[in-house]
Amino acid sequence: MKRKLFTKTDVIVALVAIIVCISIIIVRQCFSVRGKTVAIYYNNEKKDEFSLYENTEKTFEFGQGKNTVCVKNGECYVSFADCRDKICVHHEKIKNKGQTIVCLPHKLIIEVE
Amino acid sequence: MKEFSTEKAKNNNPSDNTVKNKNTLKNKSISAKKVCFLGIFTAVSMAFAYVEILIPLDFIAPGIKIGLANILPLYLVCIDRKKEGFAVNVVRIILTSLLFTNAFALAFSLSAGIISLLTVCGFSKIKKIGTAGLGIIGGTVHNITQLTVATFTVGKAVWYYAPILIFFGVVTGILTGTLSGLIAKKEIK
């Protein structure tokens, strides 16, 4: 049974997937709410909480390694971590409710609430 | 990689097709030639999977691959040999995960591979769809399934990467599907 390489149906399938993709991004932007506090979770237990409106800088070490969490100008980010991949340090600054920065090797979750 | 193909051929030796084989009652015997071909396909898919590990695209988002190892199972599905494609895919995933990555990644890859190939098999019944379209469907469903499995381990935060993964599923799907279609155009006896 011969099957063509690229047909009009393929274009429709690709467009549907891309439209789903874009709509997820748009819906996420519309429903994003500015956050109030930043909560720090270690092993899914809430360990600390501070306000997003005050500039703070705090270092956490829960037995796995060090992470330095900074709050500046209403945004939260990780300025230093001694984990191997440093995904948490390279993550973008978070400010909307529900956004998280996760450091998997240190089992640390930073969430905006 | 030659060792892998001879190993596969040894495991599926033609002596299984003796008269004592129960399959002969239903007249469903698997030829040794077919078994050899499937072994070679599995070995080549594993070689592709190994090459993919050398090209890390992890800086875009965790779990982004070019998906070259799916070319051969996709080719088999396009040829209308769905069961063979499914078998090659499952065996390739299990062996690759045991050899090159850890058993943790096996759960991700296996569930994603099975569900994506099942959806591609389902969509292949639509005759108007081309191989690139099947590739797109396979790639996108694969990424979404991986995301769903990751939700159980990491948490809901992982869905942040959903749009990037869907987009790259489309792109790599077009690549994989076109390559499978090009192979399908050449007659293999």
Side-chain angles (χ1 to χ4, degrees), chain A:
Chain A
M1 177 171 130
K2 288 290 177 186
R3 195 184 274 276
K4 276 191 179 173
L5 269 183
F6 200 71
T7 60
K8 288 183 201 167
T9 331
D10 296 346
V11 181
I12 297 177
V13 170
L15 280 179
V16 164
I18 292 185
I19 286 175
V20 166
C21 189
I22 295 179
S23 56
I24 293 180
I25 298 178
I26 293 178
V27 164
R28 185 190 286 161
Q29 287 292 91
C30 286
F31 282 99
S32 64
V33 177
R34 195 65 185 261
K36 289 184 202 163
T37 60
V38 173
I40 311 285
Y41 292 87
Y42 172 69
N43 256 343
N44 280 327
E45 292 169 13
K46 199 170 201 172
K47 291 289 183 179
D48 202 356
E49 191 170 359
F50 25 73
S51 162
L52 207 61
Y53 299 115
E54 300 167 0
N55 290 352
T56 34
E57 184 168 338
K58 229 175 179 181
T59 310
F60 296 95
E61 188 165 3
F62 291 115
Q64 310 272 1
K66 270 194 211 169
N67 294 83
T68 309
V69 181
C70 293
V71 176
K72 196 175 176 186
N73 294 335
E75 294 175 330
C76 176
Y77 58 98
V78 176
S79 59
F80 170 76
D82 55 7
C83 50
R84 191 177 46 147
D85 40 19
K86 298 210 195 311
I87 292 181
C88 41
V89 183
H90 293 135
H91 204 285
E92 60 170 8
K93 302 181 183 177
I94 57 176
K95 57 184 180 185
N96 292 321
K97 180 177 171 184
Q99 279 187 303
T100 55
I101 299 179
V102 178
C103 186
L104 267 181
H106 293 173
K107 298 198 178 134
L108 195 72
I109 301 179
I110 304 159
E111 187 171 349
V112 178
E113 287 169 2

Side-chain angles (χ1 to χ4, degrees), chain B residues 23-54:
Chain B
N23 280 337
T24 53
L25 276 178
K26 296 183 188 173
N27 229 5
K28 263 199 267 183
S29 57
I30 307 175
S31 69
K33 182 179 174 186
K34 183 191 232 185
V35 153
C36 284
F37 260 117
L38 293 185
I40 294 178
F41 282 167
T42 318
V44 172
S45 296
M46 287 174 65
F48 273 132
Y50 179 66
V51 164
E52 273 184 5
I53 296 181
L54 300 177

